Amino acid sequence: MKTKIFETTKNDIEEASRLIQNGEVVAFPTETVYGLGADATNESAIKKVFVAKGRPADNPLIMTVADAAQLDEFVTISDQARELMDHFWPGSLTIILPIKPGKVSMLVTGGLQTVAFRLPANDSARTLIRAAGVPIVGPSANTSGKPSPTTAQHVWHDMQNKIAGIVDDGPTQVGVESTVVDMSISTPIILRPGAVTQPQLEDVLQMTVIDATSTESVASNVTPKAPGMKYRHYAPDKNVVMFDELDALDLKQVLAPNDVVMAQDDMIEKMGLTNRQAWSLGNTLETATEQLFAGLRFYDDDSQITTIYVQKMPPIGIGKAFNNRLGKAAGNQEFQI
């Protein structure tokens, strides 16, 4: 299969939407990461997504919509869930809801009676979905388990000749996947951290929201409710090691010639690293999160690199999402002197 690159012009978006209508897979941009789009009501198209990614069949998919009205056919929506939609959509929040009987393919849900929905903030994504006329599945457009793609070039690296097309809308802004909150139960639970935080959810709902992202585990014989909970994710082939600010000078002393560091600018300056030795994570939690997957992918493609050391962020706001993805990429391996 030849993979075509589409721009975000009206004609290109319409051509890409026709591919989706015809059961093909097209990668699309969001504000978080690039996704793999296929008609969520077409089982043969959904199967192509699993094949392209090499994704386990019990890893559920997120359904992505152009407006909240598209949900009504498929799920039961509580008043609390609608409050979240009204406040955070379009945006980086995925909401798990109970499905209406027979309305969602078990290929999408992994056999569960719940499904996750998101309405992205990216205009091109919503235009594509609206033109296709159906919700689309939207897992990250990378080989399963590898760092997620934040540019069309990342998607091309993993998906060329595996999918029909890629809509290129430049680099993503957030850089990590959306927050996932389970609203199918009485007490909401965050199953994956992202740009929308626990305090923000509690402020809107005026009720307790449990953050299970550091404690939730999934047995080998259990289907996870959300992506990223059961299988290894976000991991390059290279060795990845996390380090804290207090470890910086000790780390500098043991860096081998083929080791590199991903850190914020003040940390790079403190360690006296050259451009060849370091990848800048900027100066804020937001820039760090935006650059995480790009840096991991860049160094993973460099055959000379042995180990990638990545600075952990303060566990506040989107820093929790950064550390969550970094921990999975590193297999929770931390620097020790």
Side-chain angles (χ1 to χ4, degrees):
M1 175 182 294
K2 185 176 181 180
T3 302
K4 181 173 181 178
I5 301 294
F6 295 103
E7 297 181 358
T8 56
T9 63
K10 183 176 184 292
N11 287 341
D12 272 18
I13 292 290
E14 288 180 352
E15 184 179 348
S17 72
R18 286 193 291 272
L19 288 173
I20 290 175
Q21 291 170 341
N22 291 333
E24 300 296 343
V25 179
V26 175
F28 64 100
T30 77
E31 76 281 10
T32 57
V33 300
Y34 275 73
L36 276 188
D39 182 351
T41 68
N42 181 335
E43 290 201 343
S44 65
I46 296 166
K47 289 176 183 178
K48 292 179 182 179
V49 171
F50 282 96
V51 171
K53 282 183 64 70
R55 185 184 181 94
D58 67 345
N59 201 3
L61 300 172
I62 292 171
M63 290 176 68
T64 309
V65 294
D67 58 70
Q70 286 186 293
L71 276 67
D72 292 332
E73 178 183 349
F74 303 99
V75 289
T76 301
I77 308 172
S78 65
D79 291 341
Q80 291 87 356
R82 288 198 185 277
E83 287 182 28
L84 295 182
M85 293 173 196
D86 290 342
H87 193 86
F88 294 108
W89 281 6
S92 302
L93 181 66
T94 294
I95 303 173
I96 295 176
L97 298 164
I99 63 175
K100 293 179 177 178
K103 290 297 185 179
V104 181
S105 168
M106 292 293 102
L107 288 176
V108 174
T109 70
L112 300 176
Q113 294 303 307
T114 57
V115 67
F117 270 97
R118 182 161 101 85
L119 197 166
N122 182 279
D123 290 338
S124 298
R126 296 198 307 276
T127 301
L128 175 69
I129 298 166
R130 197 171 290 116
V134 290
I136 63 176
V137 293
S140 55
N142 57 294
T143 301
S144 188
K146 297 305 178 185
S148 299
T150 56
T151 69
Q153 290 71 33
H154 294 162
V155 181
W156 178 264
H157 179 279
D158 286 16
M159 294 292 156
Q160 60 176 307
N161 302 327
K162 295 180 181 180
I163 62 176
I166 302 168
V167 178
D168 185 355
D169 195 21
T172 64
Q173 292 77 50
V174 177
V176 296
E177 297 83 352
S178 59
T179 303
V180 176
V181 61
D182 187 356
M183 296 298 293
S184 68
I185 50 182
S186 57
T187 301
I189 298 179
I190 298 173
L191 299 180
R192 184 176 72 186
V196 177
T197 65
Q198 179 186 16
Q200 289 175 313
L201 294 170
E202 290 182 332
D203 184 58
V204 171
L205 294 174
Q206 291 297 295
M207 64 187 297
T208 297
V209 176
I210 298 172
D211 185 348
T213 56
S214 60
T215 59
E216 191 84 359
S217 61
V218 178
S220 60
N221 63 340
V222 174
T223 298
K225 270 193 167 183
M229 295 177 64
K230 181 177 179 180
Y231 297 98
R232 190 182 186 205
H233 278 68
Y234 321 118
D237 292 329
K238 299 293 170 61
N239 186 38
V240 178
V241 179
M242 303 180 286
F243 74 94
D244 287 312
E245 182 176 0
L246 296 177
D247 298 324
L249 296 183
D250 288 334
L251 173 59
K252 174 65 186 300
Q253 299 305 312
V254 300
L255 280 178
N258 291 334
D259 293 342
V260 290
V261 174
M262 293 176 57
Q264 294 195 303
D265 292 342
D266 58 348
M267 181 64 65
I268 293 172
E269 183 178 355
K270 177 181 178 180
M271 296 177 70
L273 301 174
T274 66
N275 288 339
R276 193 206 69 80
Q277 295 174 296
W279 178 279
S280 170
L281 295 177
N283 297 306
T284 67
L285 294 178
E286 288 75 19
T287 58
T289 306
E290 180 184 346
Q291 287 296 317
L292 175 61
F293 288 145
L296 291 176
R297 280 181 164 271
F298 178 82
Y299 287 132
D300 200 33
D301 282 342
D302 188 336
S303 61
Q304 302 300 312
I305 301 303
T306 302
T307 298
I308 309 168
Y309 291 95
V310 187
Q311 178 187 356
K312 294 171 68 176
M313 295 295 126
I316 56 175
I318 202 170
K320 292 188 70 173
F322 179 98
N323 291 338
N324 171 269
R325 306 311 195 273
L326 173 58
K328 291 178 181 292
N332 292 319
Q333 182 180 192
E334 299 207 35
F335 172 75
Q336 293 181 330
I337 189 66

